[in-house]
Amino acid sequence: MNNPDKPARAYEAVLDAVEVDLRAGRLKLGDQLPGERALAERHGISRASVRDAIRILDVMGVVRTSTGSGPSSGAVLISRPAAGISTALRMHVASAQLTVREIVETRVLLETWAAGAVSLHDDEARAEGLLDEARDLLEQMERPETGRQEFHDLDARFHVVLASLSGNAVITAMMESLRLAIRDYVSEAITSEAAWGDVVATLKAQHRRIFDAVAGGRGGEAAGLLREHIEWFHREVG
């Protein structure tokens, strides 16, 4: 994890140790990390540096922290890869080092690949469950009473669920992180309610066609519809 070309920071000793122990199986999800004092003594660093390491692991989605005592307190190992990736992406989009256009292009690549990789028969029970979830999200988006922010949240989940049908956990995490990275941009881009009414009607129709293609096992068609859908929307709000 450390870059040999720059001086190591004290907290990196904890990050490196957690990575090594996870790889070796000495730590697993659900385990509680030792307390601050124990980690500080083990690595010869201050408790402040240990706290820095825990905060970084929390932001990365590797631990969940809570106060109190017991097996669920302190820093407990979890796995939320999209959380850390999306935080970094959002910061770099805000600093203009990554553009929304580049995020959109990456989404197109990931989602069209995922659509082509969907297999509804390798694990039929899993595929059926994900299709049911996507169908439910679609129906919620199509309700007249669904507000704009709720629609955006449902829309994000819909795309992640469809990508999950590919069976590739990295694609799923990246998809979720990309959606989170530009969520505020998307929700704030259309300020006129009249303009939003026209846009949402088209989005609903596009979502329904995409779902029907995926559920029907027509991966190539679904990939083409996804490309058209993503690029159309970002032309509208760009």
Side-chain angles (χ1 to χ4, degrees):
M1 183 180 296
N2 285 337
N3 183 342
D5 295 329
K6 69 175 183 178
R9 298 179 176 90
Y11 64 78
E12 290 178 344
V14 178
L15 303 185
D16 289 344
V18 169
E19 180 181 352
V20 168
D21 286 347
L22 282 168
R23 287 179 179 273
R26 292 186 291 271
L27 285 175
K28 60 184 184 301
L29 298 185
D31 285 352
Q32 185 182 42
L33 292 183
E36 285 182 11
R37 178 176 296 177
L39 287 172
E41 292 176 353
R42 177 183 303 176
H43 299 291
I45 60 178
S46 68
R47 293 179 66 171
S49 293
V50 171
R51 286 192 290 273
D52 286 343
I54 299 302
R55 280 193 289 268
I56 291 169
L57 290 170
D58 193 348
V59 170
M60 292 169 65
V62 176
V63 302
R64 180 191 67 246
T65 58
S66 59
T67 58
S69 59
S72 62
S73 65
V76 177
L77 287 164
I78 61 172
S79 180
R80 292 187 299 116
I85 299 170
S86 65
T87 298
L89 286 173
R90 287 170 68 88
M91 288 296 184
H92 289 295
V93 169
S95 69
Q97 295 306 299
L98 298 178
T99 68
V100 172
R101 179 69 248 173
E102 290 167 334
I103 297 288
V104 171
E105 290 169 351
T106 304
R107 274 195 61 201
V108 169
L109 288 172
L110 292 177
E111 294 198 50
T112 55
W113 181 91
V118 167
S119 174
L120 303 178
H121 306 294
D122 289 346
D123 186 339
E124 292 187 359
R126 178 180 180 276
E128 183 178 349
L130 289 170
L131 287 174
D132 285 345
E133 185 178 352
R135 186 181 294 106
D136 179 63
L137 292 168
L138 190 61
E139 291 171 354
Q140 291 182 64
M141 282 188 280
E142 290 175 342
R143 292 172 185 166
E145 66 270 21
T146 298
R148 282 180 61 176
Q149 190 54 56
E150 183 183 4
F151 184 93
H152 289 309
D153 292 340
L154 293 167
D155 184 357
R157 289 166 56 197
F158 175 76
H159 281 267
V160 172
V161 170
L162 290 186
S164 299
L165 282 162
S166 70
N168 187 310
V170 176
I171 292 289
T172 302
M174 288 297 297
M175 269 296 307
E176 186 173 354
S177 67
L178 290 170
R179 293 289 298 181
L180 292 172
I182 58 173
R183 180 180 54 192
D184 292 343
Y185 165 83
V186 169
S187 63
E188 295 168 2
I190 304 175
T191 56
S192 163
E193 286 301 321
W196 172 244
D198 292 336
V199 168
V200 75
T202 300
L203 291 177
K204 290 176 181 179
Q206 290 174 339
H207 285 153
R208 176 58 67 176
R209 289 196 297 272
I210 291 165
F211 176 81
D212 288 345
V214 171
R218 303 188 302 276
E221 178 184 341
L225 290 169
L226 278 162
R227 177 184 293 276
E228 176 186 343
H229 164 68
I230 297 167
E231 292 181 345
W232 173 85
F233 179 72
H234 287 282
R235 282 197 304 271
E236 289 295 307
V237 303

